[in-house]
């Protein structure tokens, strides 16, 4: 755990590196592709919730700094050299499938014309017990209502949100839902194992996502793509830092 002093030092370093990146960017024309990972957008005072007005502010600041919001499909097309990406590309993802995606997130996405992927669970009862909070999850009917929304892609986040590296291989099978029709999988809690990666590949998913910080590059494994988790009280400038090569620099320094 970082103590208060080291957290403060890390913040100062992040700000310095972000300013440094902004000076270098016009010269080097960086290609930056970041996938942000949110959970609930609500006023519930939990570590992983972000208040609606703060989320809106994140998007405003990202847009002002030149970021363009893209889909996971666009990122995969860029990776396959069948499509191009804006130079500073940010994809938005939401894990667990909280009901506030429908009521709170969607209107903000519409306002910014920003696409997003929501990673839902297959069994809200079993997953809800494991998630350990009282926030309501999207029902199957609500998930279906999102399928036709042009801004929304539905991804899968396992049936019951287990830690995949810790469950028996024989119990893994029921977590993949090949019939669910999703193209993307987000490992619950960001945890995975070789067996989990193989199972996701064999199930026909096109890509899978961890919560290891970093940018998507042309070489990173499509079944362990990095995402940058955004938590409560993260100021917009820090979300910017996590969507640029600053996050790669601090990872290399062992500070991510
Ligand atoms: Zn989750």
């Amino acid at each position: 755990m970082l103590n208060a002093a080291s957290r403060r030092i890390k913040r100062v370093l992040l700000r310095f590196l972000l300013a440094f990146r902004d000076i270098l960017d016009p010269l080097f024309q960086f290609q930056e592709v970041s996938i942000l990972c949110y959970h609930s957008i609500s006023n519930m005072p939990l570590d992983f919730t972000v208040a609606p007005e703060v989320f809106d502010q994140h998007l405003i600041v990202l847009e002002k700094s030149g970021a363009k919001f893209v889909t996971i499909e666009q990122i995969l097309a860029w990776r396959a050299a069948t499509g191009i990406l804006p130079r500073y590309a940010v994809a938005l993802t939401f894990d667990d499938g909280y009901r506030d995606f429908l009521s709170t997130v969607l209107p903000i996405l519409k306002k910014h014309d920003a696409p997003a992927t929501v990673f839902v669970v297959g069994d809200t009862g079993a997953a809800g017990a494991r998630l350990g909070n009282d926030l309501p999850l999207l029902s199957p009917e609500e998930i279906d209502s999102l399928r036709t929304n042009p801004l929304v892609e539905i991804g899968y986040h396992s049936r019951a949100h287990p830690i995949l590296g810790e469950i028996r291989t024989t119990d893994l099978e029921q977590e993949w839902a090949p019939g669910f029709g999703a193209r993307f999988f987000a490992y619950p809690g960001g945890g995975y194992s070789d067996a989990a990666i193989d199972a996701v590949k064999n199930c026909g998913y096109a890509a899978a996502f961890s919560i290891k910080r970093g940018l998507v590059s042309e070489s990173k494994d499509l079944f362990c793509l990095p995402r940058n988790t955004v938590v409560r009280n993260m100021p917009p400038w820090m979300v910017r830092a996590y969507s640029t090569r600053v996050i790669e620099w601090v990872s290399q320094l062992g500070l991510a």
Side-chain angles (χ1 to χ4, degrees), residues 72-212:
I72 301 292
E73 291 289 2
Q74 282 175 279
I75 293 175
L76 295 192
W78 168 72
R79 279 287 306 258
T82 57
I84 53 167
L85 277 183
R87 204 160 61 69
Y88 180 14
V90 175
L92 303 172
T93 66
F94 295 81
D95 278 14
D96 303 338
Y98 293 104
R99 186 173 286 154
D100 55 61
F101 184 84
L102 199 57
S103 55
T104 307
V105 178
L106 258 186
I108 300 173
L109 294 177
K110 272 186 199 149
K111 179 183 153 194
H112 295 275
D113 198 24
T117 302
V118 56
F119 288 101
V120 301
V121 291
D123 182 337
T124 53
R130 278 220 176 82
L131 286 166
N133 64 65
D134 294 330
L135 294 171
L137 295 163
L138 291 164
S139 69
E141 294 73 28
E142 287 166 332
I143 292 169
D144 279 342
S145 77
L146 286 167
R147 288 184 191 277
T148 52
N149 191 310
L151 284 180
V152 180
E153 172 86 34
I154 308 286
Y156 202 58
H157 194 40
S158 80
R159 181 188 64 87
H161 210 279
I163 301 301
L164 297 176
E166 294 175 5
I167 63 171
R168 289 180 312 193
T169 310
T170 46
D171 292 339
L172 277 172
E173 280 169 28
Q174 53 184 339
E175 297 299 335
W176 311 126
F180 188 76
R183 287 196 14 95
F184 311 125
F185 189 90
Y187 300 110
Y192 52 85
S193 59
D194 289 346
I197 293 170
D198 284 346
V200 168
K201 277 184 194 168
N202 293 337
C203 245
Y205 288 97
F209 302 86
S210 71
I211 49 168
K212 192 174 177 329

Side-chain angles (χ1 to χ4, degrees), residues 1 7 16 35 59 95 137 206 215 247:
M1 275 306 257
R7 265 202 302 269
F16 170 79
I35 304 173
L59 301 194
D95 278 14
L137 295 163
L215 296 186
I247 191 59

